[in-house]
Amino acid sequence: MKISSIVLKNFRNYEQALIAPCPGVTVLVGDNAQGKTNVLEAVYLCCTGRSHRTAHDREMIRAGQDNCYVKVSGVRRDGPHDVEVAFALAGKRRVKVNGSVTAKSGELLGHITGVLFAPEDLRMIKDGPQARRRFIDMELSQLKPAYYYALQRYNRALRQRNALLKDISLASASADTLDVWDAELAQSGAEIMRERAQFVEELCKSASRIHSEVTGGKEELSVAYEPDAPLGQSLEECQNELAAALLDRRQADIRRMLTSAGPHRDDMGVYVDGMDARAFGSQGQVRTCALSLKLSEVDIMKSLMGDAPVLMLDDVMSELDPERRRLLVSHLNDVQTLITCTDKNDLAGAQVGKLLNVCAATITEEA
Ligand SMILES: Nc1ncnc2c1ncn2[C@@H]1O[C@H](COP(=O)(O)OP(=O)(O)OP(=O)(O)O)[C@@H](O)[C@H]1O
Ligand SMILES: [Mg+2]
């Protein structure tokens, strides 16, 4: 995938901007708070339908304005793709894919594909399970819109079930009203679990190969899906297991007013030479693991979709030591990359195709 243009109108601190990245490495350089990450956020929004920084659309609208617009256009092996997203303070978000208005939020997925690597991702291994679930979810949603819809159904059912648990414990509803939500959770939850299991298996192959390269064969990385409910061998078996787990915990859930079984409690184990890196990894080790996992995302997308996603590196160079920077740069071949940094000296010899200066939401190309 090669992005050819990014258009911003009233997005964050930008009144208006047009950015034309080059097919190789485009660098956005500037002081803090000038608008570098905002550009990556806009691209990520068109890839995933979400900001990586906020769940509130209105925060992305330029202060004092009542609407904003982002358009990202690019070319894939199968032809041109573009995604447009518009928000208004009043009214719903509007999304167009290749010029047509979409009816469902998942329709934008898989057109502009990207992997964002931000400093907080370096903490993914030591953070709680939520960070690792998010890593899996964002990747799988772009690869498989059906996964995204299953997640949507699951999360909706989970909210409903949790609300009902409260009503039941306050005796304003009876326990059998849970049946319908348990059935939906078991069905969508089983889909999520099967997809996660398959994805983490792929991830493990790719990440262990990359990690071995990155560490010069000194460390062996493996990742494993750790589902909260037992993983059945088939979708049906998985659904039955999950339904049984929900029923099993029903009384305890009513007491706690929370759903205690299901993929919203899943984790992904990360092991270096067989040791659990979540608990025992050194700071350098877990950073290298995060790097290997992110680069694997790029690899998996490339092999499953036929096109490499755009890689966005938000200020990660300054967080890596020179050796890891060089390793990262050595993986950028053939992958369109957008890098933000405050200091050009952090680029570790990357072949820069275009250098853009970002100053107070004004972008100028450096000759
Ligand atoms: N809705 C908004 N309206 C106007 N300005 C905004 C809005 N949201 C964020 N900003 C401004 O955007 C700027 C931050 O932009 P961004 O996060 O892209 O900075 P950056 O160049 O990546 O900085 P750093 O190097 O610190 O990461 C801040 O000045 C912030 O006040
Ligand atoms: Mg930034």
Side-chain angles (χ1 to χ4, degrees), residues 295-306:
L295 292 172
S296 304
E297 269 193 281
V298 176
D299 260 25
I300 293 176
M301 273 200 182
K302 190 173 173 180
S303 73
L304 292 180
M305 302 184 108

Side-chain angles (χ1 to χ4, degrees), residues 12-13 31-38 53 59-63 315 342:
R12 295 283 188 185
N13 59 343
D31 291 340
N32 296 130
Q34 302 303 307
K36 304 180 299 292
T37 302
N38 293 344
R53 299 200 281 195
E59 284 179 21
M60 291 180 268
I61 300 174
R62 188 162 173 255
D315 223 354
T342 46

Side-chain angles (χ1 to χ4, degrees), residues 83-126:
V83 171
E84 295 163 80
V85 181
F87 317 128
L89 283 180
K92 286 208 318 199
R93 167 199 279 224
R94 294 208 350 251
V95 176
K96 282 187 187 173
V97 172
N98 301 332
S100 304
V101 176
T102 57
K104 291 205 284 187
S105 58
E107 285 175 48
L108 72 64
L109 299 167
H111 291 276
I112 304 293
T113 52
V115 166
L116 173 68
F117 192 8
E120 54 269 27
D121 293 311
L122 289 164
R123 295 191 292 272
M124 169 170 69
I125 318 285
K126 288 281 184 177

Side-chain angles (χ1 to χ4, degrees), residues 4-226:
S4 50
S5 78
I6 304 162
V7 175
L8 311 176
K9 284 184 189 152
N10 290 331
F11 183 83
R12 295 283 188 185
N13 59 343
Y14 290 92
E15 183 182 350
Q16 203 143 14
L18 168 64
I19 301 138
C22 70
V25 175
T26 300
V27 175
L28 296 153
V29 63
D31 291 340
N32 296 130
Q34 302 303 307
K36 304 180 299 292
T37 302
N38 293 344
V39 173
L40 302 191
E41 182 182 34
V43 176
Y44 189 78
L45 175 69
C46 289
C47 295
T48 64
R50 285 211 225 170
S51 156
H52 66 294
R53 299 200 281 195
T54 176
H56 308 288
D57 286 356
R58 56 170 51 227
E59 284 179 21
M60 291 180 268
I61 300 174
R62 188 162 173 255
Q65 300 298 313
D66 55 15
N67 59 61
C68 82
Y69 171 85
V70 176
K71 178 175 184 177
V72 177
S73 310
V75 178
R76 298 248 304 262
R77 209 169 279 227
D78 61 358
H81 288 256
D82 62 62
V83 171
E84 295 163 80
V85 181
F87 317 128
L89 283 180
K92 286 208 318 199
R93 167 199 279 224
R94 294 208 350 251
V95 176
K96 282 187 187 173
V97 172
N98 301 332
S100 304
V101 176
T102 57
K104 291 205 284 187
S105 58
E107 285 175 48
L108 72 64
L109 299 167
H111 291 276
I112 304 293
T113 52
V115 166
L116 173 68
F117 192 8
E120 54 269 27
D121 293 311
L122 289 164
R123 295 191 292 272
M124 169 170 69
I125 318 285
K126 288 281 184 177
D127 278 352
Q130 193 182 3
R132 294 179 287 279
R133 283 196 300 273
R134 191 183 143 82
F135 169 83
I136 297 174
D137 289 346
M138 295 324 280
E139 168 87 355
L140 261 175
S141 294
Q142 290 191 68
L143 285 169
K144 298 189 175 177
Y147 179 84
Y148 168 82
Y149 289 121
L151 261 186
Q152 247 188 355
R153 292 202 314 277
Y154 184 85
N155 288 329
R156 199 179 307 134
L158 188 63
R159 280 195 301 275
Q160 300 280 6
R161 189 181 194 267
N162 287 339
L164 251 181
L165 287 170
K166 252 179 224 146
D167 291 347
I168 295 166
S169 71
L170 298 171
S172 60
S174 72
D176 54 11
T177 51
L178 288 172
D179 291 350
V180 47
W181 300 114
D182 285 15
E184 174 59 276
L185 286 172
Q187 195 181 41
S188 51
E191 276 181 56
I192 293 168
M193 290 171 68
R194 295 296 313 161
E195 290 290 355
R196 283 183 180 170
Q198 209 182 341
F199 172 72
V200 175
E201 217 173 282
E202 282 303 310
L203 183 67
C204 187
K205 284 185 221 155
S206 168
S208 71
R209 183 178 46 74
I210 291 176
H211 197 79
S212 168
E213 277 169 41
V214 162
T215 59
K218 276 189 257 158
E219 283 180 9
E220 197 181 324
L221 170 67
S222 67
V223 290
Y225 179 42
E226 293 178 352

